[in-house]
Amino acid sequence: MSYAQFLPATAIALVLAAAQPALAAGGFECPKSTLEASQAATIRAALPTGDGLDAPDALDAAVDSLRAKGIGSGLIIDGVITAYCPSVAAQAGLTDAQKTEQLAGFASRVTRTVYSLDSEDAVILDVAFPPAILNVINDRADAAKVTPEAWVRGAVDAALK
């Protein structure tokens, strides 16, 4: 497995992790981008304006355009989420928790979209674990010197053999 396969989970985790302190402090804030300025500008230029990111066809076209420019899946996900977040933050009718939920849902959709366009053979599952089980997964992944996602994938592969 390549490192790039784990970027979607990382992107979603970063969105949620960045939003949680903001909620605790009482205000919704968009996560900080990890992109270089030129990468962010290239991604923003390829994205539809207005509510275009909510349209699946427009999002697919933007992803295809960015791939044609040689931008990797993880950077596309980061850039699209970063570009979408200000529109969520500007929605005055939503609570901070609702904004966080909307951004997390969008991040999940973007991740599935980007990786489904990568390969028709790959399917991404969102699986929630109770905190106690997640702690065990993290401990075992650390011991194996792999990401939690890689450890879970390996455990599932081994269980299916």
Side-chain angles (χ1 to χ4, degrees):
M1 280 189 194
S2 71
Y3 176 70
Q5 290 174 313
F6 304 109
L7 288 176
T10 303
I12 293 170
L14 288 174
V15 168
L16 295 175
Q20 292 307 319
L23 288 176
F28 177 85
E29 292 182 20
C30 290
K32 302 294 183 234
S33 176
T34 60
L35 300 174
E36 295 176 8
S38 62
Q39 293 169 324
T42 299
I43 291 172
R44 273 193 307 274
L47 296 177
T49 58
D51 292 334
L53 285 175
D54 289 324
D57 291 343
L59 184 57
D60 288 355
V63 169
D64 287 340
S65 168
L66 292 167
R67 278 226 177 80
K69 294 176 181 174
I71 298 175
S73 297
L75 295 178
I76 292 171
I77 292 167
D78 186 15
V80 172
I81 292 168
T82 302
Y84 181 76
C85 188
S87 69
V88 174
Q91 294 182 19
L94 299 179
T95 65
D96 290 338
Q98 289 170 323
K99 290 176 184 180
T100 299
E101 184 177 325
Q102 184 174 340
L103 185 61
F106 179 77
S108 186
R109 189 172 80 228
V110 166
T111 300
R112 286 190 302 273
T113 297
V114 168
Y115 281 94
S116 71
L117 295 175
D118 267 353
S119 170
E120 293 297 322
D121 298 330
V123 176
I124 296 173
L125 297 176
D126 294 326
V127 181
F129 292 102
I133 292 175
L134 185 58
N135 288 338
V136 172
I137 290 170
N138 287 333
D139 290 345
R140 292 187 182 175
D142 285 343
K145 297 188 183 343
V146 297
T147 65
E149 296 83 4
W151 187 88
V152 169
R153 174 65 190 262
V156 170
D157 287 345
L160 294 175
K161 289 183 182 183

